[in-house]
Amino acid sequence: MKAGWRWAALVVAGAVWAGCSEVNDDASGDGNRRAGNDVGTPSPDAGTGNDGGTPHDGGTGNDGGSGNDGGSGNDGGTPHDGGTGNDGGSGDDGGGSQQVEQAIEFSTTSGWQFFGTQHGGPRRVYGVTADEGGNVWVAGGEDGLFLLKPGATTLQRFTLADGLHPYGYMPDGSDAPGEKYLKVISVAGGPAGTVFVGYEGKPGKGSDHCESNWDRHDGIAPDPSRYKSGDADKVTLRADDTLQVVHYDIFSGPTVVRDEQRGREKLCNILRIAYDKNTQSVWFGGNHGFARGDARFTGNNTCNGQLSCAGVLEHVHPHINALGADGNSILLTDAYYGMAVHSSGDVFVGGANRATRFRYGSNGNNYWRAQSMTEDKPYPWNRFDIWPDKVGEPNMPRPSDRVDDNVSGMAVSGDDTVWVSSFSQGLARMNAEGGDVHYLGLPDKHLAGLAVDPADGSVWTGAYWLGLVFRVKDGSVITYGCNDFGNRLCGSRVRDIQVDRSNGGRRILVGFYGNDDTHVPGALGIYTGN
């Protein structure tokens, strides 16, 4: 490991302003919302669909947007090379070619333990987490969901055959018809034996993308195997190692959204999940926006997206208005990989363009009021531009003005410090109001995954393109690299970092994705050293 440290200059003092000209002027939270175009992360692959926003006050529609969702069918894609996403999903091709990959011969490194394909692990690792019982869960992409029990040396695998449910329900309560697609891309531990699981929707471009299919305008009927694919499950392990599965169908049903009376199907790729035990909330960061799930939800396949029984409130985004290449106004919202719970019951959320403090707990667990304070015109101070564009409100940035944040992770330290990692911009630290932003120079600015160790306050993040792990501790940056991991694991990519808080000791979980180009399989790393 190597240690080093350098701070960039203090750039922002106070809240960072974000320009929004087409957001709601009505701060009460029950007026009409934006009318504009949603482009998501820049990409030549454009989707379609109208985004009518999220209803307020028990179902009063709040989104007047009849405008085209001109955004890419790539909303939610992992940014590559500064932020271009791929097809609205994880930004990966599911593992590239299926060439046989030899298992990694792991190095013996003090404080580290590794589990790979030879231990029953998946070929690609998208996410890692631990529940309150110390069970480690791994998001294994198309290979499914994996479990490492305390003391175990091999992982258990779960797939569609075990009850995983990466698709929603039709109005009559039946499963969505058509071919089922399984790709587990995010996990968050809950109570002992329970994990919240996020899926990627069925791949497709344009109107075949899961985000755009419901609102297609080409005369072809929407395909429920696409618009009902993805979303999330609550998975509980029974005593006999079978699964109890409850599906979160993240959509709004008929009449729920005033300006989208037939219903709304927008979020489908669940990129990050955060569980808040105190408010019994499950926060889903996805393509296009984020949503709240009730952690106590027991399922209701005949609810058809009604607020009284769905177990879900959707969706919100700290969007901005900008100018497209053609000079027309567009609305930007995409790729919410940053999800971090605050002790107040609020949640910090970061995406490709802006971040926000969703003030759920601060408003007495009032989702609609918190939504207003993230989206509406009177609250630009709550839409954080962490790596600022060249212009701000009231101007709309042109493509040449934009410095996309491409948030890859967020983590809260104490009550007034929030760390933010970026796929393209590096690592930043800000206060809990989005101000006093500092930038930390690391050996690599392309980062994925972020966690704060409660034992000593050290900050952990990883290199998106390499198998390097960085630890910010006591004024230094410690790098765990090829000398610690060996060349093959070092040639992998870090995808997720989380903390196991189940036993009070240090247990840092690192998800090494693998590498399609060099045919290195994924791995789970667990650090318990000093």
Side-chain angles (χ1 to χ4, degrees):
M1 69 188 73
K2 296 180 180 180
W5 176 268
R6 59 187 175 90
W7 278 100
L10 174 65
V11 174
V12 179
V16 182
W17 300 86
C20 272
S21 63
E22 294 178 351
V23 293
N24 190 6
D25 290 285
D26 181 2
S28 66
D30 58 0
N32 289 336
R33 290 214 178 270
R34 64 208 177 277
N37 299 321
D38 172 16
V39 297
T41 302
S43 165
D45 177 21
T48 58
N50 298 324
D51 179 19
T54 306
H56 280 201
D57 299 330
T60 301
N62 72 342
D63 194 275
S66 59
N68 257 347
D69 177 359
S72 54
N74 75 339
D75 281 358
T78 302
H80 289 245
D81 295 330
T84 302
N86 289 332
D87 253 352
S90 56
D92 299 293
D93 61 6
S97 65
Q98 295 300 309
Q99 178 172 328
V100 175
E101 297 176 343
Q102 297 298 319
I104 300 171
E105 294 184 10
F106 295 113
S107 301
T108 301
T109 304
S110 177
W112 287 93
Q113 186 179 15
F114 301 101
F115 299 87
T117 52
Q118 66 268 48
H119 303 102
R123 185 168 171 269
R124 293 290 176 265
V125 173
Y126 288 81
V128 292
T129 192
D131 63 37
E132 292 178 353
N135 297 295
V136 175
W137 300 87
V138 178
E142 294 180 352
D143 287 345
L145 175 68
F146 291 77
L147 166 65
L148 181 70
K149 291 183 176 180
T153 57
T154 58
L155 288 85
Q156 298 172 243
R157 179 188 179 194
F158 303 98
T159 66
L160 292 171
D162 300 292
L164 298 183
H165 205 278
Y167 48 89
Y169 301 103
M170 302 305 289
D172 64 1
S174 62
D175 288 344
E179 183 181 3
K180 305 300 186 288
Y181 177 70
L182 173 66
K183 189 171 182 179
V184 181
I185 59 173
S186 58
V187 283
T194 296
V195 62
F196 299 96
V197 179
Y199 300 108
E200 180 174 309
K202 197 171 184 179
K205 296 184 177 181
S207 294
D208 284 334
H209 187 269
C210 59
E211 177 181 324
S212 304
N213 187 258
W214 175 252
D215 291 306
R216 67 187 308 158
H217 301 293
D218 55 7
I220 300 175
D223 178 359
S225 76
R226 295 188 180 278
Y227 69 77
K228 279 295 183 186
S229 65
D231 295 344
D233 282 345
K234 177 171 66 173
V235 174
T236 302
L237 186 70
R238 298 189 179 101
D240 61 358
D241 280 357
T242 61
L243 302 181
Q244 178 186 28
V245 179
V246 173
H247 186 66
Y248 291 95
D249 202 348
I250 305 175
F251 83 112
S252 293
T255 74
V256 171
V257 182
R258 187 191 62 192
D259 295 305
E260 297 192 64
Q261 289 290 293
R262 58 187 280 264
R264 178 176 61 206
E265 298 272 3
K266 204 70 175 174
L267 272 61
C268 50
N269 300 323
I270 305 306
L271 309 171
R272 285 280 193 266
I273 306 175
Y275 166 62
D276 186 353
K277 182 177 182 178
N278 292 330
T279 64
Q280 286 297 297
S281 298
V282 188
W283 299 102
F284 301 114
N287 61 297
H288 187 79
F290 63 95
R292 179 189 180 270
D294 186 340
R296 299 159 297 189
F297 183 55
T298 58
N300 189 329
N301 62 324
T302 61
C303 178
N304 198 22
Q306 300 303 302
L307 293 178
S308 62
C309 53
V312 170
L313 297 171
E314 67 86 31
H315 60 261
V316 183
H317 36 55
H319 55 271
I320 64 167
N321 297 286
L323 295 176
D326 59 3
N328 291 325
S329 175
I330 57 176
L331 185 147
L332 301 178
T333 178
D334 188 22
Y336 290 92
Y337 281 91
M339 304 292 292
V341 170
H342 189 262
S343 59
S344 64
D346 298 345
V347 60
F348 287 88
V349 183
N353 308 105
R354 293 292 186 269
T356 188
R357 178 173 177 169
F358 190 70
R359 298 169 189 270
Y360 180 72
S362 295
N363 283 291
N365 298 353
N366 186 325
Y367 175 91
W368 312 117
R369 176 61 177 163
Q371 180 184 27
S372 174
M373 294 183 72
T374 284
E375 294 189 339
D376 289 351
K377 191 171 183 178
Y379 307 100
W381 49 265
N382 199 34
R383 293 182 286 276
F384 311 144
D385 190 5
I386 300 165
W387 287 271
D389 294 339
K390 295 177 183 178
V391 300
E393 192 176 7
N395 302 303
M396 292 188 291
R398 299 164 299 179
S400 60
D401 296 324
R402 287 168 49 187
V403 180
D404 290 343
D405 289 354
N406 294 320
V407 171
S408 62
M410 301 183 85
V412 175
S413 178
D415 289 331
D416 196 44
T417 300
V418 182
W419 291 87
V420 186
S421 62
S422 168
F423 288 113
S424 59
Q425 307 295 348
L427 183 65
R429 187 191 72 193
M430 65 183 186
N431 65 30
E433 296 300 327
D436 192 24
V437 179
H438 292 70
Y439 303 109
L440 175 62
L442 295 179
D444 194 332
K445 68 176 184 178
H446 302 95
L447 305 176
L450 186 65
V452 173
D453 182 355
D456 64 0
S458 60
V459 178
W460 294 71
T461 188
Y464 183 65
W465 293 110
L466 289 169
L468 306 178
V469 175
F470 308 116
R471 182 184 185 187
V472 181
K473 180 185 179 184
D474 298 332
S476 297
V477 177
I478 302 168
T479 299
Y480 299 95
C482 297
N483 290 335
D484 305 287
F485 299 150
N487 289 336
R488 289 200 75 208
L489 185 58
C490 185
S492 179
R493 295 157 52 186
V494 174
R495 192 55 182 266
D496 191 20
I497 299 180
Q498 294 194 32
V499 177
D500 177 6
R501 303 171 184 266
S502 63
N503 61 8
R506 172 174 294 113
R507 202 170 183 225
I508 308 297
L509 311 177
V510 180
F512 294 89
Y513 169 77
N515 192 307
D516 299 332
D517 296 328
T518 58
H519 307 293
V520 175
L524 164 67
I526 301 178
Y527 182 80
T528 56
N530 293 324

